[in-house]
């Protein structure tokens, strides 16, 4: 019987969104590639934030930072999984694109400062050797 392990490579797709996330690579650092209809971005190491929570692992990157206006972030929920080494499993999850409003004069802001777009994603998770 083959031993099961935690996947370290995820390929996800959802409504015009493509994400590849590796928990570590040859250099031991995580990587994430993001592509939508407007942009393609790659992130490595400290540019990727991950937090363990009750829902799994929340992996976040900053897609855009505009001084005095705000930022756009992407957060991917990575569910807890186990797969046999060298095999893949289907994964269904959500990605959240968040717009965070800021201002040079914060006292001018009022109301909700963050807005969210949730995209259902599916794809594969696998355990690979880098």
């Amino acid at each position: 019987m083959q031993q099961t392990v935690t996947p370290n490579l995820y390929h996800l797709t959802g409504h015009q969104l493509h994400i590849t996330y590796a928990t570590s690579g040859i250099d031991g650092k995580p990587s994430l590639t993001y592509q939508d209809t407007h942009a393609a971005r790659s992130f490595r190491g400290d540019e990727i934030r991950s937090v363990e929570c009750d829902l799994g692992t929340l992996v976040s990157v900053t897609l855009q930072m505009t001084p005095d206006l705000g930022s756009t972030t992407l957060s991917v929920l990575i569910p807890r999984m186990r797969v046999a080494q060298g095999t893949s499993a289907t994964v269904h999850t959500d990605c959240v694109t968040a717009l965070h409003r800021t201002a040079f004069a914060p006292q001018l802001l009022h109301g909700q400062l963050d807005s969210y777009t949730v995209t259902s994603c599916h794809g594969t998770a696998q355990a690979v050797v880098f």
Side-chain angles (χ1 to χ4, degrees), residues 57-75:
T57 303
L58 190 63
V59 177
S60 301
V61 294
T62 301
L63 297 175
Q64 182 177 354
M65 180 70 76
T66 307
D68 298 332
L69 292 179
S71 63
T72 304
T73 59
L74 172 80
S75 296

Side-chain angles (χ1 to χ4, degrees), residues 57-118:
T57 303
L58 190 63
V59 177
S60 301
V61 294
T62 301
L63 297 175
Q64 182 177 354
M65 180 70 76
T66 307
D68 298 332
L69 292 179
S71 63
T72 304
T73 59
L74 172 80
S75 296
V76 181
L77 183 60
I78 302 295
R80 297 180 322 115
M81 297 183 71
R82 302 290 288 175
V83 297
Q85 184 73 37
T87 67
S88 65
T90 301
V91 59
H92 296 274
T93 190
D94 291 311
C95 297
V96 179
T97 304
L99 301 176
H100 311 280
R101 292 189 318 144
T102 60
F104 178 71
Q107 64 275 17
L108 298 177
L109 294 174
H110 65 280
Q112 183 172 332
L113 302 181
D114 301 306
S115 60
Y116 311 102
T117 302
V118 178

